[in-house]
Amino acid sequence: MWQDYILSAGNLLFIIALVPSLISKDKPSLITSISTALILCVFSVAYVTMSLWLAAVVTAGAALAWTVLAIQKHRLR
């Protein structure tokens, strides 16, 4: 399905856009990082139910990146 490729590409771009936040000292708020990670996990499960396997994996990667940001923010406290 072409939708799998579009959703995967979009989420991959989101992951790339997060790289500066992942490596800088400035982090998004903890609640933003946690809520975004949880929502992306739900999206990933939804993609699996539609057999959009690539989108599910890439979206799980985006959720992981937001989880890393949450952990980094928590450690800064």
Side-chain angles (χ1 to χ4, degrees):
M1 296 169 103
W2 62 271
Q3 294 93 338
D4 198 14
Y5 297 114
I6 297 298
L7 293 166
S8 299
N11 275 297
L12 186 59
L13 290 173
F14 280 135
I15 293 170
I16 292 168
L18 284 177
V19 170
S21 292
L22 288 165
I23 60 177
S24 76
K25 291 183 181 181
D26 295 327
K27 306 295 175 192
S29 74
L30 187 60
I31 192 71
T32 299
S33 298
I34 292 170
S35 60
T36 304
L38 290 173
I39 291 166
L40 288 171
C41 285
V42 172
F43 285 179
S44 186
V45 170
Y47 294 151
V48 167
T49 66
M50 295 185 287
S51 297
L52 298 173
W53 303 107
L54 186 58
V57 169
V58 177
T59 303
L64 178 62
W66 278 101
T67 301
V68 169
L69 283 171
I71 291 167
Q72 289 175 338
K73 181 67 172 187
H74 179 69
R75 287 186 177 173
L76 286 175
R77 290 180 155 192

